Amino acid sequence: MWLVTCTALILAALPSTRPDTPPPPPTSGYASEEALVRYVRGRLLEEQGQSVEALGEFYRGLLLDDRAPSFPRRVSELSARLGDSERSLEFALRAVTLDSTDARSQWLRGTALLNLGRDQEALEALTRATRHDTTEAEYFRALARVAERLDRVELVAQSSRNVVMLEDDDAEAWFQLAAADARMGRFAQAETELAEAVERNPIRPGIFFLQGWIQESLGRPARAADLYRQHLDIHRDDQTARRRLVNVLAQENRYREAYEHARVLAKERPDDLETRAGEVELAFRLGRRKEANALLERWRLERPHDPEVTAQALTVMARRGDAARASREVEAWARSQPEDHGRWLVAGRVHGIAKQPERALAAFGRAIELAPDSLAPRVMLARFHQEAKRMAEAERAWLAAIEQFPDVGALRLDLALCREQQGDIPGAEAAVRDALEREPDNPVALNFLGYLLADHNRKLDEAVDLIRRALVHDPRNGAYLDSLGWAFYRLGRLEEARTHLEQAVALTGHPEVHEHLGDVYKDLRLLELANDQYRKSWAADSTNERVRDKLEGSR
């Protein structure tokens, strides 16, 4: 038995040779027979669990032969096992210097760097390891870990996918693959991958949360709520999951349950403005006006000199509670420091919500007077007109903002949207082209114009070209893929439209994208698939009468 093991170890220690050369004699890979014996003894001691003694043999062998990469590689690996990352890195570098194509040495170098917090260097070494050997799952696991730390989500997905291809039973790799795809908006794909992870390890922490997030993103809020609740049964202090649960419960009009969890959130995060506002808003939605007003008063008394708290509290009051009172209080608050243009901006917004347009216009006008070189008051004034459907006034406000701030390209896109909403498509197109003259490679403007043309069935070939140019800058942008799919749909190129819109749905889950894909499926005579997309669109946006009509027409 000892002879068989020893022979195997000797053969494993020999350097690799090209297939077209005869194998060397057994001892030719080392400078001396004694060096080979030291290597074999070291490996035998490793097998017996005597790591320190094995290191001694490898060190002695290295003194006898400093050209054999197997010695520093073994020292590096044993040092890593013993928790000495510095020494592991030192000897991994020696091994790599002797043979830069050795995948295991590159992996040892990368994992040592990773353990030492030198992530960018680790990424380079681990990438080399996976290039030199595509059959070792552990190399891809390490690459996925460093990619996660560097927020390289696409690389996390690629590496995890390689792991599961090599080792199908790796539940953690399936989970990491699902999480990465979900982060990139590929929710349908993530759902399938997560099912593989659950099958292999149904009790893995975080399973319920990730399932809930995927279900929420796929337009299944009721199922998502159940999963978030299961997650919170185990992880009661996970306030991120609780916030998501509040959102899906509110989306389902389950305000009582949402309010219970919102109260827990507000208690845990008393300084979080959004959380406190959500608690008050849900109290108003439940008709508990006295309770909601008490919460508002307590909130404002806790931070009486914080303008953000006052602004948020009065906005919620105007939207859900006593609008007239909110309007009065915000006016008095603004007048208490009449030279503060920020207070007049808040006043304008609250007056607008309270249906006090004259007061709103006066407040925005006062903010512009106080801060003539500030962009925010002009933008808020234009948006106020636009939300109130006063499109001519909105257009004039956008033009005034552009005149004052000619270098802010986004203002021209706002003007284009305003003109489109008025039905002035040529004017909208002109505004975007003006923006592109100044920034010809701006992907937002390229996509805006491409979608505008496609949506109104104009210059469709140019629309495709514009959107493709936008995708060069951001190839995984779901909005851009939706635009391209819609342009292909307008051209009657249904299979190409389907391909891009299926990607866009997976990336965004947006109700309009579901509707677009439904239209494509309908024209392809895939009626069940079409209705499924319309249902998802309607579930996410029940105000879209166009989608409702499509659903009713299919019955």
Side-chain angles (χ1 to χ4, degrees), residues 25 54 62 65 92 154 169 216 227 236 326 337 394 430 440 462 489 498 526 542:
L62 194 56
D65 183 358
E154 183 70 56
D169 61 345
E216 178 186 356
L227 289 161
R236 295 184 180 278
Q337 293 188 26
E462 183 188 4
Y489 174 74
R498 175 181 180 175
L526 301 171
S542 59

Side-chain angles (χ1 to χ4, degrees), residues 338-363:
E339 302 306 309
D340 184 344
H341 83 280
R343 292 195 175 209
W344 288 108
L345 287 180
V346 174
R349 182 62 180 158
V350 171
H351 288 321
I353 295 170
K355 309 299 183 188
Q356 300 279 349
E358 297 305 320
R359 284 188 170 186
L361 289 171

Side-chain angles (χ1 to χ4, degrees), residues 212-213 215-216 220-229 245 248:
W213 180 30
Q215 294 304 309
E216 178 186 356
R220 303 165 189 160
R223 177 62 179 144
D226 291 340
L227 289 161
Y228 288 141
R229 200 177 282 108
L245 176 58
V248 295

Side-chain angles (χ1 to χ4, degrees), residues 50-169:
Q50 300 180 56
S51 298
V52 176
E53 293 80 358
L55 270 176
E57 292 295 332
F58 294 136
Y59 283 135
R60 294 183 188 96
L62 194 56
L63 289 173
L64 293 164
D65 183 358
D66 62 359
R67 302 303 300 167
S70 53
F71 284 121
R73 186 170 61 236
R74 297 312 310 157
V75 172
S76 175
E77 189 148 355
L78 275 173
S79 298
R81 289 183 200 167
L82 294 169
D84 190 344
S85 297
E86 291 280 4
R87 179 155 299 191
S88 178
L89 176 59
E90 176 189 348
F91 283 91
L93 286 169
R94 291 179 67 172
V96 167
T97 300
L98 293 168
D99 183 1
S100 63
T101 65
D102 181 71
R104 194 157 192 84
S105 298
Q106 292 285 8
W107 170 71
L108 287 165
R109 175 187 166 216
T111 53
L113 288 164
L114 184 60
N115 290 332
L116 292 168
R118 294 161 62 178
D119 295 347
Q120 195 60 49
E121 296 170 84
L123 178 67
E124 182 268 334
L126 292 167
T127 300
R128 287 177 181 268
T130 57
R131 285 176 184 164
H132 293 312
D133 185 352
T134 60
T135 66
E136 180 55 63
E138 190 57 38
Y139 301 168
F140 287 106
R141 286 192 190 95
L143 184 56
R145 285 197 298 275
V146 73
E148 178 67 35
R149 282 175 36 170
L150 291 169
D151 200 30
R152 297 278 299 276
V153 184
E154 183 70 56
L155 184 56
V156 174
Q158 291 172 1
S159 302
S160 300
R161 188 169 288 109
N162 280 317
V163 174
V164 299
M165 287 174 64
L166 292 165
E167 295 184 5
D168 180 69
D169 61 345

Side-chain angles (χ1 to χ4, degrees), residues 279-526:
E279 178 190 24
V280 175
E281 186 157 336
L282 285 165
F284 276 125
R285 282 183 176 273
L286 284 168
R288 301 179 182 180
R289 297 176 65 84
K290 185 176 180 180
E291 188 174 338
N293 284 321
L295 287 169
L296 280 174
E297 290 303 317
R298 186 188 314 152
W299 187 18
R300 293 171 68 183
L301 286 171
E302 287 171 6
R303 294 163 65 177
H305 304 297
D306 189 332
E308 289 188 36
V309 169
T310 301
Q312 188 81 284
L314 291 173
T315 299
V316 174
M317 184 189 295
R319 187 167 54 240
R320 298 295 176 192
D322 188 337
R325 177 186 166 191
S327 186
R328 290 194 303 273
E329 290 195 14
V330 80
E331 185 76 15
W333 178 68
R335 291 183 181 281
S336 68
Q337 293 188 26
E339 302 306 309
D340 184 344
H341 83 280
R343 292 195 175 209
W344 288 108
L345 287 180
V346 174
R349 182 62 180 158
V350 171
H351 288 321
I353 295 170
K355 309 299 183 188
Q356 300 279 349
E358 297 305 320
R359 284 188 170 186
L361 289 171
F364 288 132
R366 180 62 179 150
I368 292 171
E369 287 176 15
L370 291 168
D373 296 328
S374 175
L375 177 61
R378 296 181 183 277
V379 169
M380 291 185 69
L381 174 63
R383 288 183 179 160
F384 169 74
H385 283 307
Q386 202 161 330
E387 288 169 5
K389 307 301 181 187
R390 290 195 289 267
M391 292 303 180
E393 292 92 334
E395 182 175 2
R396 284 195 292 272
W398 287 124
L399 287 168
I402 291 168
E403 183 178 0
Q404 181 78 5
F405 302 94
D407 295 329
V408 181
L411 293 174
R412 290 171 175 80
L413 303 186
D414 286 316
L415 173 62
L417 180 61
C418 176
R419 286 175 172 173
E420 183 189 17
Q421 290 176 350
Q422 292 182 74
D424 179 10
I425 308 308
E429 181 181 339
V432 190
R433 291 194 187 278
D434 186 19
L436 283 170
E437 279 185 20
R438 295 165 180 271
E439 296 181 84
D441 294 321
N442 183 321
V444 177
L446 288 167
N447 177 68
F448 191 116
L449 181 55
Y451 185 78
L452 177 74
L453 295 174
D455 203 38
H456 295 280
N457 223 6
R458 299 159 60 94
K459 306 172 188 174
L460 295 175
D461 289 331
E462 183 188 4
V464 168
D465 178 65
L466 288 162
I467 300 162
R468 280 178 166 159
R469 285 169 58 195
L471 281 163
V472 168
H473 296 275
D474 190 357
R476 297 294 303 172
N477 188 303
Y480 299 173
L481 288 165
D482 171 58
S483 298
L484 186 57
W486 194 236
F488 281 133
Y489 174 74
R490 292 296 202 189
L491 283 164
R493 294 158 62 174
L494 298 181
E495 287 298 339
E496 290 168 282
R498 175 181 180 175
T499 297
H500 289 94
L501 287 168
E502 285 177 343
Q503 292 177 42
V505 158
L507 285 165
T508 68
H510 193 278
E512 187 173 5
V513 184
H514 281 297
E515 181 188 1
H516 287 168
L517 183 56
D519 290 346
V520 171
Y521 284 149
K522 182 179 178 182
D523 284 9
L524 286 168
R525 300 293 185 266
L526 301 171

Side-chain angles (χ1 to χ4, degrees), residues 24-46:
T27 61
S28 67
Y30 293 87
S32 68
E33 185 174 341
E34 185 180 353
L36 176 61
V37 170
R38 292 294 182 186
Y39 183 84
V40 173
R41 284 179 180 171
R43 292 304 302 268
L44 288 171
L45 288 166
E46 273 192 84

